[in-house]
Amino acid sequence: MSSKQIQGLMIGFYIFLFFLYLFAPLIMMGMAAFNDVEFPQVVPWEGFTTRWFPELFEDALMIEGFVNSIWIGLGVVFVSVPIGLAAAIMMTQVYERFRTLYYTVVVSPVLMPGVILGISTLVFWDRLGTFADAEYESFYYSGMFLTIVGQSTFISAYTMLIFLARLQRFDRTQEEAALDLGATHVQVFWKILMPFLRPAIFSAMGLAFLTSFENYNTTVFTIQAESTLTTVLAGKVRMGTKPDLAALAVLIIAVTLVGAIAMEVARRREMAKAEAAREEAKRAEEAADMALAGAPAQ
Amino acid sequence: MSADVELDHLTIRFGDFTAVSDANLKIEEGEFFSFLGPSGCGKTTILRAVSGFLEPTEGEVRIGGKNMRGIGPNKRPTALIFQNLALFPLMSVADNIAFGLEVRGVSKYERRKRADQLLELTALEGQGDKMVSELSGGQKQRVAIARALAVEPAVLLLDEPLSALDLKLRQHMRTELRAIQQRVGITFIYITHDQGEALTMSDRIAVMSQGVIQQVGNGTDVYENSQTAFVASFVGENNPFSGRIVRADGDFAVVETSFGPLRGRNLRGMSEGDPAMLFVRPESLTFANGAGGGENVIESTVVNGEFEGSFFSVFLRGEGDKPIVMSMTNSGSLPEFRPGEPGRLTFKPERALVLPRGEVAHE
Amino acid sequence: MSEFLSLFLPVFLAALLAILLAPVAQRHAAGFWGVVGRIRFVQRNGIVISTYLIVAVIAWVVFMIVLPQVYMLDFSFRNNLFPAEIGGPKDVYTLSNYEYLLFGRPGDEEMFNWLHLTVFLRTIIASIFVTLLNFAICYPIAYYMGQVAKGGYGRMMILALILPFWVNEILRAFAFRILFGTSGVINAVLLTLGLTDQPIDFLRADVALYAGLSYAYILLMVFPLYNAIESLDHNQVEAARDLGSPWWRIHWRVVMPHAKPGIASGCTLVFMLAAGALAAPQILGGPSSLWFTQIIYDWFNTGGNWPQGSAYAIVLLLACLVFVLTVMRVFKVSLGEIAK
């Protein structure tokens, strides 16, 4: 075999190893979910079973954590999407000189370790609560509230980036045209800008929710006495658990796959629609040309 | 219901740069008025000032006699047709047209009715439910016009709307725009760098250069009776000859140039000794027969000739490598020249203009 | 600091209220609102939208980004007090929390707090190791995707890469436990193949942790690398090969210099995430591989000493900052390029 062929084989082998490394844990999880053993493992294999799936739904701790995670996720979407949008719009209007500084400041939460965000949020609101002489039950100390705030701190940066990307392609003359036709600024915002940003809004909402749902480092500090799905999972993993955890992993993978396929299908449909519109325009153009050619010259 | 537009000592500056300098004019109600000039002459700036996207640095913009200072673009009785049209891509044609009514709270039924009327006016019947991306260039133009007309503006502003279209379509749209304006009867303010457009469509034209309005008048005024060297050279083709006035009597003046004495109309009432330029248009030049000498004779050499269909252009070179253009209408028999042959040109004094020496438009 | 804040808050709320009532007031007023109306920003956006923009951004930047950090810094210099004692005589600024990290308790025999210091140093060094390991693993893949794989095949690879990361990091770490545990899959394979006669305790040897950490951040290293490498004109590689350059030199002198921003970006991200990781060390760490973040977590959880925890957190933050600046200096890239 030539050296080129050997090289090719080596590269192929490496890629195979790499993807094996990448998918091995998932395959393990998948298998552990169906192993009829009290503890999550793949060997020894005691037999195939699906009983962990219904057991998963009976786990009160996990259900509670799951529900909290949903609420927090929704809260984060509600906070970080409007903030991200505002920050993106500001970015396009800020003076050139300040732009890098502004950008550095708003992107910094992304670069900071999540534990730092969690700690700083916790400490800050705790102090605020003390000085407002707030009761123990008030929102200053609430795990849910603090988690929403702490997560939104860096998730807003993500949503901002999504909106920024979409805004770059926005034709500002549309805003001017709308104003010129008599719209108020608020009308321009809702009728012109928002419809344009719709795909970005959905992406941002999706990203915000998913990022919030699976967050651990920040949440573990802000959630305090309450729980989210990730903190419950972490607790179980350290203390000992049944394979229903693996069942959860399988479910997540399945949902993700379905979601990814659905998105791809939607994407293909959008492209097809745009293509059809282009064809229509071409035909109209040709029809117009022919009409003109037939008409008497100016 | 239309309105007049007045620019009163209008000056617009951006930092150190003066975009518009002391513009004064009045555009009458129902007029088709054009601002003509090369890129960067300030015509777009004036348009944006009238529509409300810019505030004047000095001076006033008045519409219908009312000072527009501090009034935003959404509150002015103007509608602007953008150069890139700025149609709303996510709305259908009918929704685009009815947008101005929608934001005013007009009912859906009323909106649809009005949109249908305008679709008919702009020859777009049946296209109402299409999306903007499905239309041809000319159709998009007409949607933009319909959309602007829907809000019944007192003044319609058009920012070089035809520059993106191809030649045949442009010519067709010129006629259409003029027809629409006459039918609707509102004031049109049109800006363009194409003097053919300005001449064919407008009631009056303002020729601008570098922020200054050089001349305001109708087609004949700016073409035959240009007031400045810039106007004479920008509007249509022209041959300038520099020199000094040696004699000024009554309506005419004689300019001493490197080609000898040339006589033309002294529109500006210039006097002896003034530095001047004489302008004579290509169609006013003819070949001289007979002996040389005398007034209004230009000695030159033929460079080449071009057949342009309805007329014939001859390019010559005068002394000092000066390019001269003359044109003759196609009367059936084509003249014969060979490059290098001498060409003696002459013209009637009534067909030439003597103007103060000044900035000449570049090609 | 806190007194200032308790004064500021009501003022801020009052201003907020005023701004929200502005549209009502504007109809009747000229004066102040006339001036506000003339500010170019307000002209461009209208009063309602301007208010929304300013409030949202200030709420975020000031109340969620800047103030909490400032607060945490302030807190790290304070004593650990009961709520009743706040504002009292014991509420002074002190360096004791930082001293603790270095010197331990005043009564200790050892001069330095070796336990915590070693943990800190080990965390940093291990993070650097993980970063390098991660880089070594990801670079070939990124290169393959960026320069060799064409079109659809490359896109498929990207998709395949993203898929595993949809699973929660906790579950992923747990999966590694299954793989590497004493009764785990790898040990089972090794035993059956007869390569060892006793199960190897991967967890104790930290192998599991390093493998797990490298795994977790593969995406974050591959993508910046991929983007940087993809932008390299393949002709340069061809030219180098043409001139007889061996493959390792091609990478060293042609590909890597071009990919510098991507390398800096990837390494910075991975280091900071590894140093700040909490889940993986908690799940995969053996008794000897305590992670610095775990100590911080303990201060907040069982230790009940928030100022101390804050001080440790600040130290971690500083370490990350130093790393970023060093990388920026060494690789000669600017912050903007990394942040992309």
Side-chain angles (χ1 to χ4, degrees), chain A residues 28-29 31-47 49 51-52 236-246, chain C residues 174-185 203 283:
Chain A
M28 292 301 115
M29 284 295 257
M31 286 168 63
F34 297 99
N35 195 358
D36 198 351
V37 167
E38 284 301 314
F39 183 77
Q41 59 193 46
V42 178
V43 285
W45 183 265
E46 302 284 344
T49 173
R51 67 176 161 110
W52 300 119
K236 279 183 164 263
V237 164
R238 289 154 68 201
M239 305 308 169
T241 172
K242 297 192 280 201
D244 52 357
L245 232 64
Chain C
F174 186 54
F176 266 84
R177 257 261 276 268
I178 302 182
L179 262 183
F180 282 99
T182 37
S183 50
V185 176
L203 265 73
I283 298 174

Side-chain angles (χ1 to χ4, degrees), chain C residues 45-333:
Chain C
N45 293 302
I47 259 220
V48 173
I49 308 285
S50 301
T51 315
Y52 154 61
L53 292 181
I54 294 182
V55 167
V57 173
I58 288 189
W60 184 33
V61 169
V62 173
F63 282 83
M64 285 158 74
I65 301 181
V66 173
L67 279 184
Q69 300 301 324
V70 168
Y71 233 81
M72 185 173 71
L73 188 65
D74 174 83
F75 209 55
S76 70
F77 288 113
R78 291 179 184 271
N79 289 313
N80 191 19
L81 303 166
F82 293 112
E85 292 175 312
I86 295 178
K90 283 216 240 166
D91 195 0
V92 292
Y93 282 111
T94 167
L95 283 174
S96 62
N97 295 318
Y98 291 93
E99 287 168 353
Y100 188 89
L101 175 61
L102 285 174
F103 302 115
R105 265 182 291 269
D108 279 349
E109 324 103 39
E110 297 276 354
M111 200 171 57
F112 291 104
N113 187 350
W114 292 119
L115 180 64
H116 287 182
L117 283 175
T118 32
V119 168
F120 177 68
L121 284 170
R122 201 185 332 109
T123 306
I124 301 293
I125 293 175
S127 301
I128 295 180
F129 176 72
V130 166
T131 307
L132 294 173
L133 180 65
N134 198 302
F135 177 75
I137 295 177
C138 292
Y139 181 82
I141 293 292
Y143 181 76
Y144 186 80
M145 279 168 56
Q147 289 287 326
V148 184
K150 287 305 157 220
Y153 193 47
R155 264 205 303 273
M156 241 180 28
M157 281 181 84
I158 295 181
L159 212 66
L161 266 180
I162 298 185
L163 218 55
F165 292 92
W166 281 105
V167 180
N168 195 287
E169 59 171 323
I170 313 266
L171 295 173
R172 273 185 273 138
F174 186 54
F176 266 84
R177 257 261 276 268
I178 302 182
L179 262 183
F180 282 99
T182 37
S183 50
V185 176
I186 293 192
N187 268 314
V189 168
L190 290 175
L191 280 172
T192 29
L193 287 182
L195 288 170
T196 58
D197 36 77
Q198 267 211 335
I200 305 179
D201 194 343
F202 285 111
L203 265 73
R204 186 172 277 272
D206 293 342
V207 173
L209 180 58
Y210 292 148
L213 277 177
S214 305
Y215 180 89
Y217 308 127
I218 284 182
L219 254 196
L220 286 145
M221 178 68 86
V222 169
F223 271 110
L225 278 181
Y226 166 72
N227 278 322
I229 293 178
E230 204 226 355
S231 66
L232 175 66
D233 183 3
H234 194 64
N235 292 326
Q236 288 193 31
V237 177
E238 294 287 348
R241 198 177 303 155
D242 233 13
L243 292 166
S245 182
W247 63 267
W248 50 269
R249 192 173 251 143
I250 296 181
H251 284 276
W252 183 248
R253 312 255 13 245
V254 177
V255 185
M256 286 203 213
H258 180 90
K260 247 196 332 191
I263 299 180
S265 183
C267 287
T268 316
L269 282 173
V270 172
F271 175 81
M272 304 222 300
L273 285 170
L278 189 52
Q282 278 179 335
I283 298 174
L284 292 172
S288 68
S289 68
L290 198 59
W291 217 247
F292 197 62
T293 46
Q294 289 173 284
I295 300 187
I296 300 181
Y297 180 71
D298 287 336
W299 280 125
F300 275 90
N301 224 15
T302 49
N305 191 343
W306 288 15
Q308 187 73 61
S310 304
Y312 276 37
I314 297 278
V315 169
L316 180 65
L317 189 59
L318 282 175
C320 289
L321 215 64
V322 166
F323 185 84
V324 174
L325 290 173
T326 315
V327 165
M328 272 170 55
R329 184 68 52 87
V330 166
F331 281 80
K332 301 191 203 31
V333 286

Side-chain angles (χ1 to χ4, degrees), chain B residues 210-240:
Chain B
Q210 298 186 357
V212 178
I213 296 183
Q214 304 257 333
Q215 181 176 359
V216 181
N218 63 27
T220 318
D221 292 335
V222 300
Y223 190 81
E224 302 286 355
N225 306 321
S226 322
Q227 295 281 315
T228 71
F230 181 83
V231 178
S233 53
F234 187 80
V235 185
E237 287 236 48
N238 223 332
N239 294 296

Side-chain angles (χ1 to χ4, degrees), chain A residues 90-169:
Chain A
M90 275 286 231
M91 178 80 80
T92 60
Q93 297 191 8
V94 124
Y95 279 130
E96 289 293 328
R97 295 175 287 146
F98 291 131
R99 200 164 289 187
T100 14
L101 176 65
Y102 178 74
Y103 186 77
T104 314
V105 169
V106 297
V107 164
S108 64
V110 170
L111 302 174
M112 258 190 267
V115 299
I116 307 277
L117 285 176
I119 293 173
S120 56
T121 308
L122 181 66
V123 161
F124 176 67
W125 287 94
D126 178 82
R127 267 317 224 185
L128 267 190
T130 315
F131 272 89
D133 240 336
E135 292 156 9
Y136 188 64
E137 293 299 315
S138 74
F139 74 93
Y140 288 98
Y141 305 106
S142 150
M144 301 281 280
F145 172 73
L146 287 187
T147 307
I148 293 179
V149 171
Q151 289 182 356
S152 299
T153 307
F154 76 96
I155 294 183
S156 303
Y158 287 143
T159 57
M160 180 190 79
L161 290 173
I162 292 181
F163 284 121
L164 256 189
R166 184 81 175 143
L167 273 178
Q168 309 282 31
R169 298 188 8 217

Side-chain angles (χ1 to χ4, degrees), chain A residues 35-265:
Chain A
N35 195 358
D36 198 351
V37 167
E38 284 301 314
F39 183 77
Q41 59 193 46
V42 178
V43 285
W45 183 265
E46 302 284 344
F48 185 88
T49 173
T50 55
R51 67 176 161 110
W52 300 119
F53 285 88
E55 279 218 28
L56 175 66
F57 291 103
E58 283 163 28
D59 188 332
L61 220 58
M62 282 233 253
I63 301 283
E64 185 188 332
F66 180 77
V67 169
N68 282 349
S69 289
I70 299 269
W71 282 117
I72 291 175
L74 291 176
V76 166
V77 166
F78 192 70
V79 171
S80 66
V81 169
I83 289 184
L85 176 60
I89 295 179
M90 275 286 231
M91 178 80 80
T92 60
Q93 297 191 8
V94 124
Y95 279 130
E96 289 293 328
R97 295 175 287 146
F98 291 131
R99 200 164 289 187
T100 14
L101 176 65
Y102 178 74
Y103 186 77
T104 314
V105 169
V106 297
V107 164
S108 64
V110 170
L111 302 174
M112 258 190 267
V115 299
I116 307 277
L117 285 176
I119 293 173
S120 56
T121 308
L122 181 66
V123 161
F124 176 67
W125 287 94
D126 178 82
R127 267 317 224 185
L128 267 190
T130 315
F131 272 89
D133 240 336
E135 292 156 9
Y136 188 64
E137 293 299 315
S138 74
F139 74 93
Y140 288 98
Y141 305 106
S142 150
M144 301 281 280
F145 172 73
L146 287 187
T147 307
I148 293 179
V149 171
Q151 289 182 356
S152 299
T153 307
F154 76 96
I155 294 183
S156 303
Y158 287 143
T159 57
M160 180 190 79
L161 290 173
I162 292 181
F163 284 121
L164 256 189
R166 184 81 175 143
L167 273 178
Q168 309 282 31
R169 298 188 8 217
F170 182 59
D171 174 14
R172 300 225 76 231
T173 51
Q174 277 184 50
E175 278 190 341
E176 293 186 340
L179 279 177
D180 179 71
L181 289 165
T184 63
H185 288 280
V186 175
Q187 283 173 321
V188 172
F189 188 80
W190 281 116
K191 292 183 188 284
I192 307 290
L193 188 61
M194 286 292 114
F196 177 77
L197 288 177
R198 216 166 52 124
I201 294 179
F202 284 121
S203 305
M205 283 170 63
L207 182 70
F209 186 81
L210 291 172
T211 313
S212 154
F213 199 80
E214 58 117 44
N215 181 272
Y216 178 70
N217 285 9
T218 306
T219 312
V220 78
F221 284 96
T222 52
I223 198 71
Q224 296 168 93
E226 296 173 70
S227 65
T228 66
L229 187 60
T230 47
T231 60
V232 167
L233 286 179
K236 279 183 164 263
V237 164
R238 289 154 68 201
M239 305 308 169
T241 172
K242 297 192 280 201
D244 52 357
L245 232 64
L248 182 65
V250 170
L251 279 178
I252 295 179
I253 297 175
V255 168
T256 312
L257 265 178
V258 168
I261 294 177
M263 275 192 358
E264 182 68 16
V265 166

